[in-house]
């Protein structure tokens, strides 16, 4: 872990794909594991779980302290951002987290929607643009445009069952 004596360049990654089952979560977890192996502190969370935690912190008037605690992690992985939907309370705490980590700590985000559809996540167009702007600035964007692994495996298993002769 960095001693904090030298400024770090944040490394924000976003794995963007429209399809489910293409390996976004697996890839984010693998990046997280590699960071842990290199001595970094990493927290992996489903975005919906993180949003619930942040909403509870806001309700209990401890949101700033909760965001400070999250600063202990060099990288925060938010999985499945696309499942947060247009609720002002949910998206405002999510935006606060994104803004808080911007240019300070790494944020790895997976989402099953392209940026052009993030207006379905954030209710306010200005917040949508600001969130995307903070995420993509300094980002390495990995698009996982491939066939769903689960679908491919299910089709393969179904083909095997169909070709098996039953007596």
């Amino acid at each position: 872990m960095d001693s904090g004596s030298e400024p770090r360049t944040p490394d924000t990654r976003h794995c963007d794909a429209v399809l489910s089952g293409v390996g976004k979560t697996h890839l984010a977890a693998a990046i997280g594991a590699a960071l842990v192996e290199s001595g970094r502190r990493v927290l992996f969370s489903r975005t919906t779980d993180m949003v619930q935690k942040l909403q509870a912190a806001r309700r209990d008037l401890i949101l700033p302290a909760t965001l400070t605690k999250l600063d202990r992690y060099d990288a925060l992985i938010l999985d499945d951002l696309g499942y947060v939907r247009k609720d002002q309370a949910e998206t405002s705490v999510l935006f606060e987290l994104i803004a808080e980590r911007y240019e300070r700590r790494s944020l790895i985000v997976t989402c099953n929607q392209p940026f052009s559809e993030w207006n379905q996540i954030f209710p306010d167009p200005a917040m949508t643009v600001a969130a995307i702007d903070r995420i993509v600035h300094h980002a390495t964007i990995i698009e996982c445009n491939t066939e769903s692994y689960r679908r491919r495996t299910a089709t393969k298993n179904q083909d095997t069952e169909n070709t098996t002769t039953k007596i």
Side-chain angles (χ1 to χ4, degrees), residues 79-100:
D79 190 37
D80 289 330
L81 184 124
Y83 292 111
V84 175
R85 293 280 183 214
K86 284 230 181 205
D87 176 272
Q88 184 66 37
E90 287 185 7
T91 56
S92 68
V93 293
L94 178 58
F95 180 77
E96 284 188 54
L97 176 62
I98 292 167
E100 179 73 19

Side-chain angles (χ1 to χ4, degrees), residues 85-142:
R85 293 280 183 214
K86 284 230 181 205
D87 176 272
Q88 184 66 37
E90 287 185 7
T91 56
S92 68
V93 293
L94 178 58
F95 180 77
E96 284 188 54
L97 176 62
I98 292 167
E100 179 73 19
R101 293 190 73 84
Y102 175 62
E103 291 195 329
R104 296 178 54 251
R105 294 282 189 221
S106 294
L107 183 63
I108 300 169
V109 178
T110 69
C111 188
N112 62 351
Q113 295 176 328
F115 292 124
S116 61
E117 294 178 16
W118 277 31
N119 61 332
Q120 296 173 15
I121 299 169
F122 295 95
D124 176 9
M127 188 183 290
T128 303
V129 170
I132 292 170
D133 183 62
R134 283 165 175 78
I135 288 173
V136 302
H137 189 228
H138 305 300
T140 299
I141 299 173
I142 304 169

Side-chain angles (χ1 to χ4, degrees), residues 53-71:
K53 178 180 180 175
L54 295 173
Q55 283 181 298
R58 172 173 275 158
R59 181 194 64 232
D60 297 340
L61 305 175
I62 59 168
L63 183 58
T66 301
L67 292 172
T68 299
K69 285 181 184 178
L70 291 172
D71 246 5

Side-chain angles (χ1 to χ4, degrees), residues 4 15 20 43 63 72 76 85 89 95 97 109 113 130 149 165:
C15 183
S20 243
L43 177 65
L63 183 58
R72 289 186 272 184
L76 177 59
R85 293 280 183 214
F95 180 77
L97 176 62
V109 178
Q113 295 176 328
Y149 172 79
T165 307

Side-chain angles (χ1 to χ4, degrees), residues 131-163:
I132 292 170
D133 183 62
R134 283 165 175 78
I135 288 173
V136 302
H137 189 228
H138 305 300
T140 299
I141 299 173
I142 304 169
E143 290 189 56
C144 303
N145 294 323
T146 185
E147 182 183 4
S148 165
Y149 172 79
R150 290 184 288 268
R151 183 180 302 163
R152 186 174 60 238
T153 302
T155 302
K156 184 178 175 182
N157 289 343
Q158 187 175 15
D159 290 344
T160 301
E161 288 175 10
N162 291 339
T163 59

